[in-house]
Amino acid sequence: MLAYAGGDAAAFERLYRRHKDALYRYFLRHVETADAGELFQDVWQKLIQARGGYRSDAPFAAWLYRIAHNRLVDHWRRARPHDELPADAVDADARGPESQVEQDDTARRLLAALARLPAEQREIIVLREERNLTLEQIADIQGVGRETVKSRLRYALAKLREAFHD
């Protein structure tokens, strides 16, 4: 990001390639597919506009997901919160040989359980498990304290465990 902020256009392409898939999945976990595409594009535009203000005191991913989180909150404020994932994200069709049917079923159950979590808890799970961000980084992204994130994570994991024991 520092190279891009300094004028290296090729550095943006490397950042985009490295983070595009995970960022898009982040939005798919929270909104419908059409909205995810729009929010995804908005974040990259915001990144381009804010490149001069980037500070390297935190990892780039934490900065990127802070932008994504803020854009997601803005979206929810306009459209009223969607506490569930769209049906097409939860009912993804099974791909692969029959030996993966059980794995696909587990993945669908996990996505459905994630969809039932409150948005703040779902976001913590996604940032922690898919992006490997620390509790401190997630707290910064969500604008809350580390203990709040820790508590939300504990409740989210308990709800996910409960969903698999039903």
Side-chain angles (χ1 to χ4, degrees):
M1 185 61 192
L2 291 173
Y4 176 58
D8 181 359
F12 175 81
E13 293 175 27
R14 289 189 300 274
L15 285 172
Y16 182 79
R17 278 194 312 271
R18 187 176 302 142
H19 297 280
K20 68 181 175 74
D21 293 337
L23 182 63
Y24 187 70
R25 283 192 310 271
Y26 169 82
F27 285 123
L28 282 177
R29 300 281 191 262
H30 297 287
V31 298
E32 295 181 18
T33 304
D35 292 333
E38 180 182 331
L39 295 172
F40 175 82
Q41 291 300 323
D42 289 350
V43 167
W44 289 108
Q45 288 175 343
K46 177 71 173 167
L47 180 137
I48 290 167
Q49 294 167 351
R51 71 178 175 257
Y54 175 70
R55 296 173 303 152
S56 61
D57 57 342
F60 171 76
W63 187 71
L64 177 67
Y65 282 92
R66 180 68 181 171
I67 294 171
H69 169 79
N70 289 341
R71 184 60 189 94
L72 189 59
V73 168
D74 290 344
H75 172 77
W76 285 335
R77 283 183 183 142
R78 277 192 215 89
R80 290 292 92 205
H82 295 284
D83 287 336
E84 295 187 29
L85 284 174
D88 61 341
V90 175
D91 297 328
D93 60 305
R95 293 179 208 104
E98 286 184 27
S99 64
Q100 292 188 350
V101 169
E102 186 175 321
Q103 183 179 354
D104 291 344
D105 181 57
T106 302
R108 274 193 297 281
R109 288 179 61 204
L110 177 60
L111 286 173
L114 278 170
R116 289 189 299 270
L117 291 176
E120 298 87 5
Q121 292 176 7
R122 184 171 54 239
E123 181 178 39
I124 290 169
I125 293 291
V126 170
L127 292 173
R128 181 82 169 157
E129 298 303 319
E130 288 190 13
R131 299 303 307 153
N132 292 323
L133 296 181
T134 66
L135 296 178
E136 291 80 9
Q137 292 168 333
I138 296 169
D140 185 49
I141 289 168
Q142 289 192 335
V144 297
R146 181 186 186 279
E147 290 303 313
T148 301
V149 170
K150 195 173 173 180
S151 176
R152 288 176 181 173
L153 177 60
R154 185 174 47 254
Y155 285 119
L157 291 174
K159 289 177 185 177
L160 292 176
R161 277 188 215 101
E162 184 179 303
F164 278 88
H165 290 336
D166 289 342

